Structure formats: structure tokens, C-alpha cells
Amino acid sequence: MGISVQQLLIILAIIVLLFGAKKIPELAKGLGKGIKSFKAEMEDEKPVEKVEEKTSDVKTTEAKVEEKTQA
């Protein structure tokens, strides 16, 4: 089911015909930047955890206020 070497060469030849040999490095550079950007965004998921911590702090504070108002 895998792609053979002949199929890869045909795909490469079609890409060269469509975009030209000069455009391929530019396309690869853009693809690399996109991948780096995606990885950076995936690493920046830590602020979501901080939001959850703040939410639990707010709930704790609300519980304390309720205890004081009931007493």
C-alpha cells in the first residue's frame, strides 16, 4: 500500500512542472515556517492551564464569601 520510488518520482516531476524549479525552495521554506509556527502554538497551551487555576481560585473565594454571609 506504500508509495513506491517510481510514484514519488512522478509526483516530483508533476510538482516541478506545475511550480517550476525556482518556486520549489520558496514553497519548502513556507512549509517549514508553517510547521515551526504550529509547533510554537502547540507549546503555548500552558495559559489554558493557568485559566483553569484562576477559575478554581475564584470558586474557592466564592465559597469563603458564602460561609461568611451564612454565619
Side-chain angles (χ1 to χ4, degrees):
M1 272 299 314
I3 297 176
S4 69
V5 175
Q6 290 176 338
Q7 291 170 335
L8 286 174
L9 290 174
I10 292 171
I11 292 170
L12 181 62
I14 291 171
I15 291 172
V16 170
L17 288 174
L18 288 176
F19 298 107
K22 293 181 181 179
K23 290 283 186 180
I24 292 175
E26 293 175 18
L27 293 172
K29 185 178 179 181
L31 181 65
K33 284 183 179 180
I35 291 171
K36 285 182 183 178
S37 174
F38 179 75
K39 286 182 180 179
E41 291 296 324
M42 293 302 292
E43 290 176 2
D44 289 341
E45 291 295 322
K46 293 177 185 175
V48 172
E49 295 171 4
K50 291 180 182 178
V51 169
E52 291 174 0
E53 290 174 8
K54 289 180 182 179
T55 304
S56 66
D57 290 343
V58 169
K59 289 179 182 177
T60 304
T61 304
E62 289 175 352
K64 288 179 183 177
V65 169
E66 285 182 27
E67 288 176 7
K68 288 183 180 180
T69 56
Q70 291 177 355

